[in-house]
Amino acid sequence: MNGRPVILKTIWLNGQRSDIKGTGLGNQFSVHLDGEDVPVKVRRNAQAKRLTLRVDSITGEIKLTLPKYVSERAATRFLNEQQNWLSKERAAIDIGAAISCGSEIPFLGEPHRVVFTGKAPRNVKRGHANITVGGPTDMAPKRLENWFRREAKKLLEERAADHAAGLGLSYNRVSIGDMKSRWGSCSSSGTLRFSWRLLMAPFDVLDYVAAHEVAHLAEMNHSDRFWAQVARRIPDHKSRRAWLRSDGSDLFRIRFSA
Ligand SMILES: [Zn+2]
């Protein structure tokens, strides 16, 4: 389950070649944009015939793919030439602010006000419209994220078990991660993996994703037979998928730590 749009720019090379082959290109490239040095992830690809520049439409991350024989100098020149394009693309992306005291975040689709108490006990409590995080404030966003992970695991384990029993299927285990653009996956070894960010989505959406990954235990594809399995558990899966398409990417933008 994914489908993240990526802003892409490709430029054909004008026969720029160099004897420097893939030296020292790690993460140390950066480009100066609007008074800020923004890191650029650079990757060599022997098959690439052109320089490809991508702006991740959720994180704003800049990625540059280089053919084998393009020098670092040519790459730097290319990046500098694209400054206007890059700052325009990045400006169009809504890079959310990190969670802080007073932020509003959804829990199962319902807005909750985050409160950092700054004092003991070091725990997280959800009330009707608040989520209270105790303990030192500097680590509160991380504590909140860990709590979301634990709560997501409990609920997704319960929903996956229910769907698996309903479809007469069995799996190995449920694991929780923070995949950048995926809500869930199902491996051939029977591990169901889910994004903890699903806990911010409405329950019906989370439940649909659980059923979707469980259905992959029977059909490792998105064929009609697969969707028939999903429909046995979630007859109205189409509207829940529509929610993920229209509102899902907002949940990837919420940042819990700086
Ligand atoms: Zn799928």
Side-chain angles (χ1 to χ4, degrees), residues 5-228:
V6 160
I7 299 155
L8 183 76
K9 178 156 193 161
T10 59
I11 300 290
W12 288 98
L13 276 178
N14 302 314
Q16 289 169 343
R17 291 206 156 194
S18 158
D19 293 321
I20 307 168
K21 287 184 202 166
T23 50
L25 286 174
N27 287 322
Q28 71 271 54
F29 260 58
S30 66
V31 61
H32 202 70
L33 295 177
D34 312 312
E36 192 193 343
D37 280 320
V38 180
V40 176
K41 278 199 177 156
V42 180
R43 187 172 79 85
R44 290 267 181 197
N45 181 349
Q47 268 80 52
K49 292 202 166 52
R50 59 195 122 166
L51 294 144
T52 305
L53 199 53
R54 284 187 175 85
V55 178
D56 187 297
S57 61
I58 288 166
T59 62
E61 221 172 31
I62 301 171
K63 292 173 185 168
L64 175 65
T65 304
L66 297 177
K68 205 169 170 185
Y69 294 108
V70 172
S71 68
E72 294 189 21
R73 224 173 63 200
T76 304
R77 194 169 59 222
F78 169 72
L79 272 175
N80 288 333
E81 282 165 8
Q82 302 306 323
Q83 275 172 335
N84 285 344
W85 181 80
L86 283 169
S87 72
K88 217 173 71 206
E89 292 301 332
R90 279 170 52 87
I93 296 165
D94 177 20
I95 303 167
I99 292 282
S100 60
C101 189
S103 296
E104 198 175 77
I105 56 168
F107 178 94
L108 292 178
E110 292 297 329
H112 283 69
R113 183 74 56 194
V114 173
V115 181
F116 295 166
T117 68
K119 50 181 200 251
R122 210 177 274 224
N123 62 6
V124 178
K125 270 202 181 122
R126 186 174 69 88
H128 187 62
N130 288 319
I131 297 177
T132 307
V133 185
T137 308
D138 56 339
M139 288 306 288
K142 189 69 201 158
R143 209 168 293 128
L144 182 60
E145 181 183 323
N146 290 341
W147 180 82
F148 261 87
R149 282 175 185 262
R150 286 195 303 273
E151 295 294 310
K153 186 156 199 242
K154 267 193 263 175
L155 186 54
L156 283 157
E157 270 176 345
E158 185 212 301
R159 295 318 306 142
D162 187 44
H163 292 306
L167 295 174
L169 299 166
S170 66
Y171 56 88
N172 188 7
R173 67 191 188 97
V174 167
S175 89
I176 298 293
D178 192 8
M179 303 83 102
K180 270 204 178 141
S181 62
R182 293 168 74 88
W183 292 112
S185 65
C186 174
S187 76
S188 52
S189 63
T191 296
L192 306 175
R193 192 166 165 75
F194 298 102
S195 167
W196 60 263
R197 290 175 183 273
L198 278 169
L199 198 63
M200 294 190 279
F203 174 82
D204 285 357
V205 172
L206 172 146
D207 196 34
Y208 153 68
V209 176
H212 179 116
E213 300 309 337
V214 166
H216 276 313
L217 295 162
E219 295 287 336
M220 273 293 183
N221 50 53
H222 291 122
S223 63
D224 291 348
R225 286 211 309 266
F226 165 79
W227 288 112

